[in-house]
Amino acid sequence: MKIHKNLSLKKYNTFGIDVCAKHFCEISSLETLSKALQLEAYSNKFIISGGSNMLLTKDIDALVLYINIKGKVIVSETEDDIILKVMAGENWHDFVLWTLDQNYGGLENMSLIPGKVGTSPIQNIGAYGVELKDSFTSCEAMEISTQKIKVFTKEECNFGYRESFFKNEGKGKYIIVSVNFKLTKRNHQLNTSYGSIDKELEANNITNPTLKDVSNAVIAIRQSKLPDPKELGNSGSFFKNPIVAVNVFEQFIANNPDAPFYKVSDNEYKIPAGWLIEKCGFKGKRFGDAGVHKNQALVLVNYNNASGKEIIDLAYQIIEEVEKQFNIRIFPEVNIIK
Ligand code: EPU
């Protein structure tokens, strides 16, 4: 186990924030993970994986464990579907592309989401009408205090919109080491009704789409709206779309009849935060090296050398302005490390 000292984390977080890990260790097996967690000389441990949903704001005075455990195996299969066990360190998008090459269906709408497989359940990643929970069957996680592996069923994960057990009661207690997915081998249930997927397929004259066609449509849409973290530091949607009670919604829509919205239940509505932020005039604005993306106002970007604090200051300026103009409070989706 090699432990590095004072290592920059810039390339380990998609926001590209340049802070230092006091100590850093790459973890490529369960055994090393267990051993590293038992190292008493380093009392504080900090877990990093894809680094795609976090905003680092200061140097990490801890032993940073970079989870990079690879591998995927078939757990079981029938003629109709397959259950795969995928280790936490597999890159999410590479894994999705691999499933499409095998003609396994279920993940195509979640193409090009940054990050790794192990962190996908934490916030129940989702895009274009599909969420991780739709194909997730279970995951294994190592309990930090005992190094024991525990299996979590889908119910135990308590998934919600960008929510799970691991973001709440389980926070800081477990490290997800593998995820099991159930994918289709035939009779794939394509989900093309969300927003612009149908339009994108139509524009390419595709009437009978394959899994790969849907994935390609999603990739094209994402590339037109969302910045590539390799070119412009970002963490995807910085904010969650607010879910408001029906009385708040009625007042809001009366004042803003052109606003987009989704009905969540009989008494709750979801309003796109990107729309609210754009209406407040922030879209495409730059403040030093921190900014709001020009094609999707939900995404904050690091033009080069923004500090975590600059990004947070911009986020709070946005939160306050949205609240002032619409009387609706929006909340960060990314994990802010203070
Ligand atoms: N909108 C604007 N201005 C903007 C952005 C959006 O007016 O700057 C409007 C759009 O015109 C549309 C509505 O808001 O009417 C929704 O926009 P979009 O379909 O782009 O989706 P979103 O609600 O802004 C969510 C996810 C994205 C995911 C897309 C597609 C959250 C917080 N974000 O964004 O997830 O890709 O739907 O499914 O739920 C991520 O989590 O990192 C992420 C990118």
Side-chain angles (χ1 to χ4, degrees), residues 152 156-158 163-171 174:
F152 286 86
E156 286 168 327
C157 290
N158 207 7
E163 281 294 344
S164 76
F165 166 84
F166 298 102
K167 230 176 151 175
N168 294 287
E169 307 92 300
K171 192 170 180 178
Y174 295 94

Side-chain angles (χ1 to χ4, degrees), residues 108-128:
E108 55 284 353
N109 291 39
M110 294 188 286
S111 299
L112 214 61
I113 295 184
K116 295 195 186 246
V117 168
T119 39
S120 60
I122 300 179
Q123 55 151 348
N124 179 27
I125 59 170
Y128 305 101

Side-chain angles (χ1 to χ4, degrees), residues 53 113-114 123 125-130 161-162 194-196 222 225-226 235-241 260-262 270-278 283 293-299 333:
N53 199 42
I113 295 184
Q123 55 151 348
I125 59 170
Y128 305 101
V130 174
Y161 165 60
R162 298 293 195 274
Y194 185 98
S196 28
R222 285 188 76 99
K225 283 193 176 183
L226 297 166
S235 223
S237 302
F238 192 92
F239 302 98
K240 288 211 259 187
N241 288 330
F261 62 86
Y262 319 97
K270 197 192 269 182
I271 302 168
W275 187 90
L276 299 172
I277 298 167
E278 181 171 348
K283 194 168 180 172
H293 189 52
K294 62 179 190 326
N295 299 332
Q296 167 53 290
L298 256 189
V299 178
E333 187 206 298

Side-chain angles (χ1 to χ4, degrees), residues 187-308:
N187 302 324
H188 307 301
Q189 304 292 314
L190 298 188
N191 193 330
T192 60
S193 55
Y194 185 98
S196 28
I197 298 188
D198 267 339
K199 266 188 238 147
E200 181 69 30
L201 291 169
E202 240 175 75
N204 290 306
N205 292 321
I206 298 171
T207 43
N208 239 331
T210 61
L211 297 172
K212 195 82 188 154
D213 291 331
V214 176
S215 167
N216 286 339
V218 167
I219 290 173
I221 300 165
R222 285 188 76 99
Q223 284 176 336
S224 72
K225 283 193 176 183
L226 297 166
D228 178 351
K230 286 192 201 97
E231 283 155 25
L232 189 59
N234 76 89
S235 223
S237 302
F238 192 92
F239 302 98
K240 288 211 259 187
N241 288 330
I243 295 176
V244 299
V246 65
N247 59 324
V248 176
F249 172 73
E250 278 165 1
Q251 179 75 55
F252 167 78
I253 208 72
N255 295 335
N256 305 281
D258 57 332
F261 62 86
Y262 319 97
K263 190 170 177 175
V264 178
S265 66
D266 280 349
N267 37 30
E268 283 178 323
Y269 287 81
K270 197 192 269 182
I271 302 168
W275 187 90
L276 299 172
I277 298 167
E278 181 171 348
K279 284 282 158 185
C280 289
F282 284 106
K283 194 168 180 172
K285 287 271 163 68
R286 180 170 174 168
F287 304 80
D289 261 0
V292 179
H293 189 52
K294 62 179 190 326
N295 299 332
Q296 167 53 290
L298 256 189
V299 178
L300 301 189
V301 295
N302 172 9
Y303 280 99
N304 195 11
N305 278 318
S307 66

